[in-house]
Amino acid sequence: MSSISTANLLPTPPQEDAWIVTYQKLLPHWQSVSRSRQHSTIPISISRVNQFDAARLDIEMSAMLKEQLVKVFSVIKPGMLFQYEPELDAFLEFLIWRFSIWVDKPTPGIGLMNLRYRDERAMEIRGKVRTGLEGPGLTVAQKIWYCIATVGGQYIWARLQSFSAFRRWGDSEQRPLARRAWGLIQRIEGLYRIASFGNLLIFLYTGSYRNLIERALRARLVYGSPNMNRAVSFEYMNRQLVWNEFSEMLLLLLPLLNSPTIKNLLRPFSKDKSSGSSEDVSSCPICQASPTIPYLALPCQHSYDLFPVCRYCYYCLRTRCAAAPSFRCSRCSEPVVAMQRQGGMIESKTHTQ
């Protein structure tokens, strides 16, 4: 009885081909898992702020180069580069492209933000993937098309717009062909703006392709090094943000400071009585220069009571009255209803020469 129970407890030996059968059953599953790991990509998130900052820094760099070049040529002949401004912009953009993207280097703004261009069409990951930032740079064809779109396209469009505006294609007196061409230009510009706005919404959602050119070329910005910090410190960015907000606040408040009421309220604190008596009343109260065509504002009486003469430049007084129908005298705050040339006849302030 004990021998029978012991025999039942012993495991049965496997068949000779059991390992081969099991291997053949598991092999397809193992191949499918390894294949999915091989072709899967690691999801990465590139900061949208970094990409926008890179574009802004590139624009600032181009503006700095343009300013220095204009200063050099202004010594030779002032205003010589004004009529060739589109060519100058295209030349500077070509220089930046030639010494950055063409030689597989980032532009100044992209480099400062620790970014680089990657060809998304060639993202077939093979072998071991570490960060998800691997991938080849742009191909020669992508670089050339990038130059054609950013440099040549912008130059041709700027020249076409300036030429059509100079020729007045949009006027009703022009030929039907010119009006049709002007309408076509406006439609193309409108469609481009709509497409750019749609691309911006997609970029804010996905974080890929800042503009239509990058989306068409499949040139994506990724981090150049996964462990490198931003080259622009947050302290500098905070100072820039504070200064921008402060400048916008000044632009909002400065027009209010030109109000005559506020000027009268601040006048006792800005000048004492002795300085008020010695004020130069022979100059125009608006531009503080000697009037070339002197005019008097009516019906102000301060020119007889407080000051011997209060003369305005004709163009200063005319533009102020045209811009603000309720314009008041800068010295007595009386509403100006008419103008009189010094020693001449009275004119309405709505009268035009």
Side-chain angles (χ1 to χ4, degrees), residues 143-207:
K143 296 174 185 178
I144 295 176
W145 280 113
Y146 186 91
C147 177
I148 294 174
T150 56
V151 181
Q154 293 181 5
Y155 167 71
I156 294 173
W157 185 254
R159 270 303 179 192
L160 182 61
Q161 283 189 323
S162 61
F163 180 79
S164 60
F166 178 76
R167 295 289 182 176
R168 298 182 179 180
W169 286 0
D171 292 351
S172 58
E173 295 83 4
Q174 293 292 335
R175 293 174 298 177
L177 181 61
R179 291 201 303 270
R180 252 186 254 112
W182 176 257
L184 180 61
I185 292 174
Q186 297 301 314
R187 290 191 189 94
I188 293 175
E189 185 176 6
L191 291 175
Y192 179 78
R193 291 181 182 275
I194 293 173
S196 298
F197 180 72
N199 181 80
L200 175 62
L201 296 180
I202 298 175
F203 170 75
L204 294 177
Y205 181 75
T206 61

XYZ file of all heavy atoms in Angstrom, residues 143-207:
543
model
N 17.230 71.061 -45.752
C 17.935 72.319 -45.523
C 17.713 73.300 -46.677
O 17.482 74.493 -46.458
C 19.431 72.063 -45.336
C 19.774 71.226 -44.110
C 21.256 70.901 -44.103
C 21.608 69.974 -42.956
N 23.048 69.600 -42.968
N 17.784 72.784 -47.899
C 17.594 73.665 -49.061
C 16.170 74.195 -49.109
O 15.938 75.390 -49.349
C 17.957 72.906 -50.352
C 19.454 72.571 -50.355
C 17.590 73.731 -51.578
C 19.893 71.726 -51.539
N 15.188 73.323 -48.886
C 13.803 73.788 -48.885
C 13.537 74.755 -47.738
O 12.730 75.674 -47.872
C 12.859 72.591 -48.797
C 12.639 71.904 -50.103
C 13.037 70.652 -50.459
C 11.972 72.446 -51.246
N 12.671 70.369 -51.738
C 12.000 71.455 -52.256
C 11.356 73.664 -51.513
C 11.434 71.653 -53.506
C 10.786 73.861 -52.772
C 10.823 72.869 -53.736
N 14.210 74.547 -46.619
C 14.072 75.482 -45.496
C 14.582 76.867 -45.891
O 13.959 77.887 -45.583
C 14.841 74.949 -44.291
C 14.663 75.757 -43.030
C 13.664 75.445 -42.124
C 15.499 76.836 -42.741
C 13.496 76.181 -40.954
C 15.338 77.571 -41.591
C 14.338 77.241 -40.700
O 14.181 77.989 -39.554
N 15.717 76.913 -46.588
C 16.256 78.196 -47.051
C 15.334 78.840 -48.075
O 15.089 80.058 -48.034
C 17.648 77.987 -47.633
S 18.406 79.470 -48.311
N 14.809 78.050 -49.008
C 13.916 78.602 -50.029
C 12.666 79.191 -49.399
O 12.191 80.269 -49.785
C 13.561 77.512 -51.063
C 14.812 77.109 -51.853
C 12.457 77.979 -52.004
C 14.586 75.940 -52.790
N 12.107 78.497 -48.395
C 10.865 78.959 -47.781
C 11.080 80.164 -46.881
O 10.308 81.135 -46.925
C 10.227 77.816 -46.989
N 12.110 80.119 -46.034
C 12.302 81.193 -45.054
C 12.965 82.429 -45.658
O 12.596 83.550 -45.320
C 13.152 80.686 -43.880
O 14.402 80.175 -44.376
C 12.417 79.598 -43.119
N 13.937 82.218 -46.528
C 14.670 83.351 -47.104
C 14.015 83.822 -48.399
O 13.577 84.966 -48.528
C 16.146 82.983 -47.341
C 16.902 84.170 -47.925
C 16.800 82.549 -46.033
N 13.945 82.905 -49.380
C 13.391 83.287 -50.677
C 11.911 83.596 -50.633
O 11.445 84.575 -51.244
N 11.134 82.782 -49.917
C 9.696 83.004 -49.856
C 9.334 84.331 -49.212
O 8.489 85.084 -49.724
N 9.948 84.631 -48.084
C 9.658 85.898 -47.415
C 10.103 87.093 -48.249
O 9.422 88.127 -48.285
C 10.329 85.912 -46.042
C 9.748 84.908 -45.061
C 10.417 84.959 -43.707
O 11.264 85.807 -43.449
N 10.052 84.053 -42.830
N 11.241 86.970 -48.940
C 11.707 88.080 -49.767
C 10.769 88.329 -50.946
O 10.392 89.483 -51.226
C 13.120 87.784 -50.270
C 13.560 88.715 -51.377
C 13.855 90.051 -51.110
C 13.656 88.264 -52.693
C 14.238 90.907 -52.121
C 14.047 89.113 -53.704
C 14.336 90.436 -53.420
O 14.708 91.288 -54.430
N 10.377 87.254 -51.635
C 9.480 87.418 -52.786
C 8.141 87.990 -52.353
O 7.576 88.874 -53.016
C 9.299 86.062 -53.505
C 10.629 85.622 -54.128
C 8.217 86.134 -54.562
C 10.596 84.236 -54.717
N 7.626 87.521 -51.223
C 6.328 88.028 -50.760
C 6.416 89.501 -50.365
O 5.512 90.286 -50.661
C 5.846 87.181 -49.598
C 4.469 87.538 -49.140
C 4.113 88.214 -48.009
C 3.250 87.257 -49.839
N 2.756 88.360 -47.943
C 2.190 87.786 -49.051
C 2.948 86.627 -51.027
C 0.867 87.688 -49.433
C 1.625 86.523 -51.411
C 0.603 87.051 -50.622
N 7.509 89.902 -49.691
C 7.665 91.306 -49.303
C 7.773 92.205 -50.530
O 7.164 93.288 -50.577
C 8.894 91.471 -48.401
N 8.545 91.766 -51.526
C 8.678 92.558 -52.742
C 7.369 92.627 -53.520
O 7.014 93.673 -54.080
C 9.771 91.973 -53.622
C 11.157 92.531 -53.360
C 11.157 94.020 -53.514
N 12.445 94.644 -53.255
C 12.617 95.934 -53.115
N 11.576 96.747 -53.178
N 13.795 96.452 -52.883
N 6.626 91.543 -53.563
C 5.349 91.532 -54.268
C 4.352 92.473 -53.601
O 3.629 93.216 -54.288
C 4.800 90.108 -54.313
C 3.474 89.908 -55.052
C 3.617 90.302 -56.515
C 3.008 88.462 -54.927
N 4.315 92.470 -52.284
C 3.393 93.362 -51.580
C 3.771 94.827 -51.784
O 2.900 95.669 -52.031
C 3.371 93.024 -50.094
C 2.567 91.787 -49.752
C 2.401 91.615 -48.268
O 3.314 91.900 -47.495
N 1.248 91.140 -47.849
N 5.067 95.153 -51.684
C 5.487 96.540 -51.871
C 5.254 97.006 -53.311
O 4.820 98.138 -53.548
C 6.966 96.695 -51.505
O 7.777 95.884 -52.345
N 5.492 96.121 -54.281
C 5.280 96.489 -55.685
C 3.795 96.711 -55.975
O 3.419 97.668 -56.659
C 5.849 95.397 -56.594
C 5.686 95.689 -58.061
C 6.536 96.572 -58.699
C 4.679 95.076 -58.794
C 6.394 96.849 -60.049
C 4.522 95.349 -60.144
C 5.374 96.235 -60.768
N 2.934 95.820 -55.458
C 1.497 95.975 -55.701
C 0.941 97.207 -55.006
O 0.061 97.891 -55.550
C 0.762 94.727 -55.222
O 0.970 94.509 -53.834
N 1.469 97.528 -53.810
C 1.005 98.734 -53.124
C 1.487 99.992 -53.844
O 0.756 100.992 -53.928
C 1.491 98.730 -51.676
N 2.723 99.957 -54.374
C 3.241 101.120 -55.087
C 2.491 101.350 -56.397
O 2.226 102.495 -56.776
C 4.740 100.920 -55.358
C 5.372 102.042 -56.126
C 5.661 103.249 -55.508
C 5.682 101.885 -57.481
C 6.245 104.285 -56.211
C 6.264 102.916 -58.185
C 6.544 104.123 -57.548
N 2.149 100.262 -57.080
C 1.407 100.372 -58.333
C -0.098 100.572 -58.122
O -0.825 100.788 -59.088
C 1.630 99.122 -59.174
C 3.063 98.929 -59.645
C 3.414 99.958 -60.696
N 4.781 99.755 -61.199
C 5.319 100.470 -62.178
N 4.605 101.413 -62.764
N 6.561 100.244 -62.558
N -0.542 100.472 -56.875
C -1.959 100.659 -56.533
C -2.855 99.709 -57.309
O -3.806 100.106 -57.973
C -2.390 102.110 -56.779
C -1.642 103.118 -55.924
C -2.147 104.519 -56.182
N -1.448 105.491 -55.340
C -1.695 106.799 -55.359
N -2.624 107.280 -56.188
N -1.027 107.620 -54.579
N -2.535 98.414 -57.186
C -3.349 97.424 -57.867
C -4.768 97.364 -57.312
O -5.690 96.948 -58.012
C -2.688 96.046 -57.757
C -1.500 95.906 -58.648
C -0.990 96.848 -59.492
C -0.660 94.763 -58.761
N 0.116 96.370 -60.134
C 0.347 95.086 -59.713
C -0.637 93.507 -58.177
C 1.336 94.178 -60.072
C 0.341 92.610 -58.525
C 1.328 92.936 -59.468
N -4.934 97.747 -56.058
C -6.249 97.639 -55.453
C -7.185 98.780 -55.782
O -8.370 98.732 -55.410
N -6.724 99.837 -56.453
C -7.604 100.955 -56.801
C -8.605 100.543 -57.871
O -8.321 99.710 -58.739
C -6.773 102.142 -57.301
C -5.925 102.749 -56.186
O -6.129 102.339 -55.024
O -5.063 103.585 -56.481
N -9.764 101.156 -57.802
C -10.823 100.843 -58.768
C -10.486 101.341 -60.168
O -11.057 100.876 -61.156
C -12.150 101.454 -58.309
O -12.028 102.870 -58.161
N -9.555 102.315 -60.282
C -9.208 102.838 -61.596
C -8.257 101.932 -62.361
O -8.005 102.154 -63.550
C -8.572 104.231 -61.468
C -9.498 105.306 -60.931
C -9.572 105.288 -59.419
O -8.823 104.472 -58.814
O -10.381 106.046 -58.849
N -7.701 100.932 -61.676
C -6.735 100.063 -62.342
C -7.443 99.081 -63.282
O -8.667 98.911 -63.266
C -5.926 99.290 -61.295
C -5.024 100.160 -60.446
C -3.890 100.743 -61.246
O -3.476 100.196 -62.260
N -3.379 101.889 -60.794
N -6.635 98.404 -64.086
C -7.164 97.421 -65.015
C -7.717 96.215 -64.262
O -7.301 95.932 -63.142
C -6.077 96.990 -65.985
C -5.627 98.090 -66.937
C -4.452 97.627 -67.760
N -3.289 97.319 -66.925
C -2.144 96.846 -67.393
N -2.006 96.611 -68.689
N -1.142 96.600 -66.567
N -8.661 95.485 -64.877
C -9.241 94.313 -64.184
C -8.193 93.277 -63.801
O -8.315 92.636 -62.760
C -10.238 93.758 -65.212
C -10.574 94.926 -66.088
C -9.331 95.763 -66.153
N -7.153 93.105 -64.637
C -6.114 92.134 -64.313
C -5.366 92.522 -63.048
O -5.080 91.662 -62.196
C -5.142 92.015 -65.489
C -3.997 90.995 -65.305
C -4.570 89.600 -65.113
C -3.048 91.047 -66.500
N -5.053 93.807 -62.893
C -4.356 94.259 -61.686
C -5.241 94.096 -60.458
O -4.771 93.692 -59.389
C -3.932 95.723 -61.852
N -6.532 94.412 -60.582
C -7.434 94.252 -59.437
C -7.584 92.783 -59.067
O -7.667 92.435 -57.889
C -8.804 94.853 -59.763
C -8.780 96.377 -59.868
C -10.178 96.948 -59.685
N -11.116 96.385 -60.660
C -11.350 96.903 -61.846
N -10.699 98.003 -62.236
N -12.232 96.348 -62.671
N -7.627 91.910 -60.100
C -7.725 90.481 -59.817
C -6.457 89.976 -59.117
O -6.527 89.158 -58.187
C -7.940 89.723 -61.126
C -9.359 89.181 -61.245
C -9.531 88.311 -62.473
N -10.286 89.017 -63.492
C -9.818 89.422 -64.637
N -8.554 89.204 -64.948
N -10.579 90.053 -65.501
N -5.314 90.467 -59.550
C -4.055 90.060 -58.895
C -4.015 90.538 -57.460
O -3.561 89.810 -56.560
C -2.871 90.616 -59.681
N -4.482 91.765 -57.201
C -4.515 92.286 -55.829
C -5.458 91.445 -54.953
O -5.145 91.132 -53.808
C -4.965 93.738 -55.851
C -5.125 94.341 -54.490
C -6.287 94.565 -53.815
C -4.070 94.780 -53.628
N -6.031 95.119 -52.583
C -4.678 95.263 -52.450
C -2.684 94.814 -53.740
C -3.939 95.779 -51.403
C -1.939 95.329 -52.680
C -2.577 95.802 -51.530
N -6.629 91.091 -55.513
C -7.545 90.239 -54.755
C -6.953 88.880 -54.462
O -7.147 88.322 -53.375
N -6.212 88.312 -55.435
C -5.567 87.018 -55.220
C -4.514 87.105 -54.118
O -4.393 86.194 -53.278
C -4.940 86.543 -56.527
C -4.216 85.187 -56.483
C -5.184 84.080 -56.103
C -3.544 84.898 -57.815
N -3.744 88.199 -54.107
C -2.735 88.381 -53.051
C -3.403 88.455 -51.684
O -2.930 87.844 -50.708
C -1.898 89.647 -53.341
C -1.025 89.441 -54.576
C -1.030 90.002 -52.138
C -0.286 90.681 -55.009
N -4.497 89.191 -51.593
C -5.198 89.307 -50.316
C -5.756 87.963 -49.864
O -5.707 87.628 -48.669
C -6.326 90.337 -50.437
C -5.862 91.751 -50.743
C -4.925 92.292 -49.688
O -5.168 92.166 -48.493
N -3.826 92.895 -50.120
N -6.281 87.162 -50.802
C -6.819 85.852 -50.434
C -5.715 84.917 -49.968
O -5.881 84.174 -48.984
C -7.552 85.242 -51.629
C -8.854 85.946 -51.988
C -9.646 85.129 -53.002
N -10.787 85.897 -53.504
C -10.773 86.626 -54.604
N -9.656 86.692 -55.328
N -11.848 87.281 -54.991
N -4.581 84.941 -50.680
C -3.464 84.083 -50.269
C -2.974 84.464 -48.875
O -2.705 83.599 -48.028
C -2.324 84.168 -51.302
C -2.760 83.553 -52.631
C -1.068 83.474 -50.781
C -1.739 83.708 -53.732
N -2.875 85.751 -48.632
C -2.438 86.197 -47.298
C -3.436 85.787 -46.227
O -3.053 85.353 -45.130
C -2.254 87.712 -47.299
C -1.682 88.253 -45.995
C -1.420 89.733 -46.046
O -1.787 90.367 -47.064
O -0.855 90.274 -45.069
N -4.732 85.915 -46.532
C -5.741 85.506 -45.559
C -5.700 84.019 -45.272
O -5.795 83.589 -44.110
N -5.556 83.197 -46.333
C -5.461 81.749 -46.127
C -4.217 81.372 -45.329
O -4.259 80.475 -44.475
C -5.458 81.035 -47.482
C -6.767 81.081 -48.278
C -6.576 80.444 -49.644
C -7.893 80.387 -47.511
N -3.114 82.065 -45.600
C -1.882 81.774 -44.858
C -2.045 82.127 -43.380
O -1.584 81.371 -42.507
C -0.718 82.556 -45.468
C 0.593 82.343 -44.746
C 1.338 81.187 -44.950
C 1.073 83.294 -43.856
C 2.537 80.986 -44.285
C 2.265 83.104 -43.186
C 2.995 81.944 -43.399
O 4.178 81.748 -42.729
N -2.699 83.230 -43.103
C -2.912 83.608 -41.699
C -3.826 82.609 -41.000
O -3.595 82.257 -39.835
C -3.487 85.010 -41.625
C -2.510 86.103 -42.035
C -3.135 87.486 -41.909
N -2.229 88.515 -42.347
C -1.290 89.078 -41.580
N -1.158 88.680 -40.329
N -0.508 90.030 -42.056
N -4.853 82.151 -41.688
C -5.748 81.159 -41.085
C -5.004 79.853 -40.823
O -5.130 79.241 -39.752
C -6.969 80.928 -42.000
C -7.833 82.194 -42.067
C -7.800 79.754 -41.492
C -8.968 82.105 -43.068
N -4.203 79.418 -41.806
C -3.427 78.191 -41.620
C -2.405 78.347 -40.492
O -2.189 77.408 -39.714
C -2.731 77.811 -42.923
N -1.782 79.510 -40.398
C -0.817 79.743 -39.314
C -1.502 79.717 -37.956
O -0.951 79.187 -36.976
C -0.113 81.083 -39.526
O 0.616 81.087 -40.731
N -2.700 80.284 -37.883
C -3.428 80.260 -36.615
C -3.814 78.826 -36.244
O -3.708 78.427 -35.076
C -4.671 81.136 -36.722
C -5.497 81.170 -35.460
C -5.045 81.842 -34.337
C -6.714 80.508 -35.401
C -5.791 81.864 -33.172
C -7.470 80.536 -34.249
C -7.014 81.218 -33.126
N -4.261 78.053 -37.224
C -4.565 76.650 -36.940
C -3.337 75.875 -36.505
O -3.403 75.042 -35.585
N -2.201 76.133 -37.158
C -0.960 75.466 -36.758
C -0.550 75.862 -35.345
O -0.019 75.039 -34.591
C 0.147 75.816 -37.748
C 1.456 75.132 -37.414
O 1.653 73.959 -37.729
N 2.363 75.847 -36.767
N -0.800 77.133 -34.981
C -0.474 77.569 -33.621
C -1.301 76.818 -32.592
O -0.783 76.409 -31.534
C -0.713 79.078 -33.500
C -0.529 79.688 -32.106
C 0.897 79.515 -31.623
C -0.914 81.160 -32.106
N -2.589 76.622 -32.863
C -3.430 75.871 -31.927
C -2.953 74.426 -31.797
O -2.899 73.876 -30.688
C -4.882 75.912 -32.400
C -5.561 77.287 -32.425
C -6.990 77.157 -32.925
C -5.544 77.942 -31.052
N -2.580 73.814 -32.934
C -2.067 72.439 -32.879
C -0.745 72.390 -32.120
O -0.487 71.457 -31.345
C -1.910 71.889 -34.305
C -3.271 71.832 -35.002
C -1.272 70.512 -34.287
C -3.194 71.423 -36.463
N 0.105 73.409 -32.334
C 1.388 73.442 -31.621
C 1.177 73.570 -30.113
O 1.867 72.912 -29.323
C 2.227 74.615 -32.140
C 3.446 74.885 -31.318
C 4.555 74.069 -31.397
C 3.483 75.967 -30.449
C 5.686 74.322 -30.633
C 4.602 76.228 -29.681
C 5.711 75.400 -29.771
N 0.247 74.416 -29.702
C -0.011 74.566 -28.272
C -0.547 73.280 -27.660
O -0.342 73.014 -26.469
C -0.990 75.714 -28.040
C -0.483 77.120 -28.395
C -1.580 78.148 -28.181
C 0.746 77.484 -27.572
N -1.226 72.462 -28.460
C -1.779 71.206 -27.944
C -0.753 70.087 -27.943
O -0.672 69.309 -26.977
C -3.000 70.813 -28.780
C -3.658 69.545 -28.314
C -4.446 69.527 -27.166
C -3.491 68.350 -29.024
C -5.039 68.353 -26.734
C -4.076 67.178 -28.603
C -4.853 67.179 -27.455
O -5.439 66.023 -27.023
N 0.041 69.981 -29.025
C 0.983 68.868 -29.153
C 2.415 69.237 -28.799
O 3.202 68.365 -28.427
C 0.944 68.324 -30.584
O 1.341 69.350 -31.507
C -0.468 67.864 -30.935
N 2.789 70.504 -28.979
C 4.166 70.912 -28.705
C 5.122 70.644 -29.843
O 6.342 70.683 -29.639
